[in-house]
Amino acid sequence: MNKKYHPETLAIRQQLPTTEQGEHSVPLYLTSSYRFEDPDQMRAAFAGDVDCNTYSRYVNPNCRELELKLAALECTEDGFVTASGMSAIFSSFATFLSQGDHLVSCRSIFGSTHKILTTMLNRWGIEHTYVDVADPDSWEQAFQPNTKMVYIETPTNPGMDLVDLEWLGKLCKAKGVLLNVDNCFATPYLQQPAKFGADIVIHSATKYIDGQGRVLGGAVLGNKELIEEVRTFCRSVGPTLSAFNAWVLSKSMETLKIRMDKHCENALKLAQFLEGHELVKCVKYPSLPSHPQFDIAQRQMNGGGGIVTFYLKGGAEEGAKFLKGAEMCSLTANLGDTRTIVTHPASTTHSRLTEEERQAVCITPNLVRVSVGLEYIDDIIADIDAALKASAH
Ligand SMILES: *Cc1c(COP(=O)(O)O)cnc(C)c1O
């Protein structure tokens, strides 16, 4: 596709060639394999001598379209899409890390990623060191001679803390290690880690890329060489994205920009409302000037995103009452949906952890996370306000 187009045009216009049917919307290619003209072509295809479709664990037109769109938006050369965000993350570890390697990771990462680091990679002789986002000065000491990769999320979940990508990109370059960034919360519209030196960018497409809570998907993005290694690993192992999910996700990409603009607008309005609320202790949202890293947000993000974290006056009991008091907002494990979702980790997802374990991942008893949806903002604010009043009774 012509590079002169803006990313938001590419997200709409970068599509598979029209077939002889003349369709305007790209068809769904439900096929597990592809036909060859003759044995010579088949031999050449499997030897990698010609670039053509072989088998859908390897390649599928709908998946390829989504890869090209995501790579265009993330400013990377190439990409590989996977069945879920977790399979993208695991594949990025398994492709580049070997026995005896060491990984530096920020402590506040997605729960299943934490599980991979602590219960799986160590079984294969890959060690990790956690570093705190709030203490970047300590990161250099975490590097070892065998450190191969740095893995981060920014903004972090649920603390909404930021990692300075320009600083970390330079540090990783100087140390000669791969920088791997899970860009799920920001999406490529709000932040492009590759511009700051990230070698690998990960997405859970399940969240904002789909944006409507329908399908799972994931992606690994980077330069041609690195993605070729990921592709080689995935072709044999098989964490392939289904053609149907790729087709849904590629269509969703056409509206990502306008959805993200609205998520940001609604989230900022909610954050401003919460900031002045008598039952709220404090609010964390990247584009509020009160965010401790507001300057970093201004430098590396084009908007604050759709997630607002706030701290109630009170503790776990108030948090549980808050959840019960919400009428419209959904109580569910997803985020990045058109529908506003509220979570209180201390009384739900993280209730079995000890107080210290929760503290280590920045989950205090009074923390509430809102994934701000696309409903009319006054309705969102009214529902959250009613839940806040319920939390105090
Ligand atoms: C949801 C999520 C994942 C995992 O993605 P799945 O598509 O559920 O496998 C990874 N990282 C972050 C930040 C997420 O929010």
Side-chain angles (χ1 to χ4, degrees):
M1 191 87 208
N2 198 324
K3 286 283 181 213
K4 77 175 194 270
Y5 292 123
H6 292 87
E8 48 218 63
T9 303
L10 288 172
I12 295 165
R13 286 282 169 183
Q14 174 121 43
Q15 54 181 36
L16 293 169
T18 307
T19 73
E20 67 280 6
Q21 301 297 333
E23 75 282 346
H24 190 216
S25 169
V26 170
L28 173 54
Y29 287 92
L30 283 182
T31 180
S32 42
S33 65
Y34 305 86
R35 291 181 64 168
F36 300 98
E37 302 281 330
D38 52 51
D40 283 343
Q41 192 203 16
M42 189 165 181
R43 182 209 54 78
F46 278 90
D49 296 344
V50 293
D51 195 17
C52 68
N53 294 332
T54 46
Y55 184 60
S56 272
R57 170 152 44 80
Y58 285 35
V59 59
N60 176 279
N62 296 114
C63 292
R64 192 64 194 142
E65 182 182 277
L66 179 61
E67 286 163 0
L68 293 175
K69 280 189 185 182
L70 282 167
L73 262 59
E74 282 288 4
C75 300
T76 60
E77 288 174 2
D78 206 354
F80 188 83
V81 291
T82 58
S84 65
M86 285 324 301
S87 52
I89 292 168
F90 180 75
S91 301
S92 76
F93 292 156
T95 301
F96 299 109
L97 300 175
S98 304
Q99 188 178 22
D101 285 343
H102 174 253
L103 173 86
V104 172
S105 168
C106 68
R107 190 183 306 279
S108 39
I109 49 172
F110 190 68
S112 298
T113 313
H114 169 73
K115 195 133 197 178
I116 290 178
L117 295 193
T118 53
T119 70
M120 294 173 203
L121 292 190
N122 55 348
R123 279 169 38 213
W124 300 312
I126 300 160
E127 303 294 336
H128 69 276
T129 302
Y130 275 141
V131 286
D132 289 312
V133 171
D135 186 15
D137 292 341
S138 69
W139 288 34
E140 247 192 282
Q141 293 156 24
F143 283 83
Q144 300 178 5
N146 58 341
T147 302
K148 189 83 186 287
M149 181 186 281
V150 171
Y151 182 82
I152 61 154
E153 289 177 20
T154 179
T156 61
N157 177 26
M160 294 308 282
D161 294 309
L162 307 180
V163 178
D164 185 337
L165 286 172
E166 192 181 353
W167 161 77
L168 186 60
K170 284 185 183 146
L171 181 64
C172 290
K173 197 120 290 167
K175 300 265 183 198
V177 306
L178 293 171
L179 174 56
N180 187 349
V181 179
D182 181 337
N183 202 28
C184 169
F185 269 40
T187 81
Y189 272 119
L190 304 182
Q191 173 175 283
Q192 293 142 334
K195 284 191 176 167
F196 300 96
D199 302 287
I200 303 156
V201 179
I202 299 283
H203 276 287
S204 165
T206 316
K207 312 295 166 55
Y208 288 104
I209 306 288
D210 174 46
Q212 289 145 88
R214 300 167 299 183
V215 300
L216 295 181
V220 187
L221 304 146
N223 71 25
K224 277 199 184 317
E225 244 169 77
L226 294 179
I227 296 307
E228 195 48 43
E229 288 187 56
V230 173
R231 190 177 288 124
T232 302
F233 173 83
C234 291
R235 280 178 170 183
S236 294
V237 176
T240 319
L241 180 64
S242 79
F244 177 75
N245 285 9
W247 181 81
V248 170
L249 292 167
S250 187
K251 303 266 178 224
S252 306
M253 294 281 289
E254 297 178 18
T255 57
L256 181 61
K257 161 89 168 87
I258 57 166
R259 284 188 284 108
M260 288 319 292
D261 284 348
K262 191 70 184 171
H263 279 297
C264 290
E265 184 190 319
N266 277 357
L268 180 62
K269 283 185 184 156
L270 177 68
Q272 284 165 339
F273 167 78
L274 290 169
E275 198 154 48
H277 202 288
E278 56 177 4
L279 297 170
V280 172
K281 203 164 144 205
C282 75
V283 185
K284 280 278 273 298
Y285 183 66
S287 52
L288 275 186
S290 61
H291 191 291
Q293 297 165 303
F294 178 67
D295 59 320
I296 297 179
Q298 296 296 102
R299 272 187 274 130
Q300 68 190 33
M301 299 178 78
N302 299 323
I307 310 288
V308 176
T309 288
F310 69 93
Y311 300 84
L312 292 162
K313 283 187 182 155
E317 197 184 319
E318 283 74 13
K321 282 191 199 159
F322 172 87
L323 280 194
K324 285 205 179 111
E327 199 176 286
M328 177 186 80
C329 295
S330 314
L331 185 57
T332 178
N334 200 20
L335 62 89
D337 200 306
T338 51
R339 286 157 289 220
T340 300
I341 296 164
V342 289
T343 48
H344 177 247
S347 72
T348 57
T349 47
H350 294 69
S351 63
R352 288 169 68 179
L353 270 61
T354 66
E355 201 56 51
E356 286 89 62
E357 285 171 326
R358 275 195 293 268
Q359 279 292 347
V361 287
C362 305
I363 294 170
T364 58
N366 59 345
L367 178 149
V368 174
R369 188 191 75 187
V370 188
S371 168
V372 184
L374 305 182
E375 302 97 335
Y376 196 79
I377 184 60
D378 294 2
D379 294 332
I380 300 173
I381 288 178
D383 201 49
I384 301 270
D385 188 38
L388 278 168
K389 285 179 179 133
S391 79
H393 285 105

